[in-house]
Amino acid sequence: MKVSRRESIRIRHRRVRGKVDGTADRPRLAVFRSNQHIYAQVIDDQKQHTLAAASTLEPEVKSQLTTGASCEASAQVGKLIAQRSLEQGIQKVVFDRGGNLYHGRVKALAEAAREAGLDF
């Protein structure tokens, strides 16, 4: 039986989550990529609390874009999540690619977050 693309992502995400855990000192930068948008959250898994979040649906990001499904959009979300994390004193995170391959929009978000000052 052939496994669907979404199911493959879910399987990979479970495997990644078995190895990646966010703590108070080093929270998890989780990325979710849909066909039309991209979302990022900085999460403390011990307290089960989201510390910062950003997505292409936010008015400040959406107004500057023609589509939320591009590498440029992902880079803007990466810069925004890094800025919000640094404002809260979070400099080091662990990266959770959400079962997606480290390529394209996910890679663009990660590199933009690194350039904006996050360490991972």
Side-chain angles (χ1 to χ4, degrees):
M1 184 173 89
K2 188 171 180 173
V3 178
S4 71
R5 185 180 189 91
R6 181 55 47 199
E7 183 66 14
S8 296
I9 289 172
R10 193 179 64 76
I11 290 167
R12 278 195 305 268
H13 192 207
R14 281 188 177 167
R15 188 168 56 236
V16 169
R17 287 290 290 121
K19 301 170 187 173
V20 174
D21 194 35
T23 63
D25 325 331
R26 202 171 172 119
R28 175 170 57 101
L29 173 58
V31 175
F32 176 74
R33 182 184 63 83
S34 72
N35 286 338
Q36 297 168 346
H37 296 285
I38 193 156
Y39 310 81
Q41 295 182 56
V42 176
I43 304 166
D44 179 356
D45 288 317
Q46 292 174 336
K47 292 182 181 174
Q48 296 181 348
H49 185 70
T50 299
L51 306 170
S55 78
T56 52
L57 287 172
E58 294 179 17
E60 60 201 58
V61 177
K62 198 173 187 177
S63 64
Q64 300 173 1
L65 304 171
T66 56
T67 178
S70 66
C71 286
E72 296 82 31
S74 298
Q76 283 195 348
V77 172
K79 289 176 191 170
L80 188 59
I81 194 73
Q83 175 188 355
R84 290 179 180 173
S85 298
L86 292 171
E87 285 172 3
Q88 293 192 5
I90 301 165
Q91 294 177 338
K92 291 187 176 192
V93 296
V94 290
F95 188 68
D96 175 8
R97 58 191 168 88
N100 298 295
L101 300 178
Y102 187 79
H103 176 76
R105 293 193 283 153
V106 174
K107 184 177 178 181
L109 187 146
E111 289 177 349
R114 279 191 189 106
E115 286 174 17
L118 277 184
D119 181 26
F120 59 94

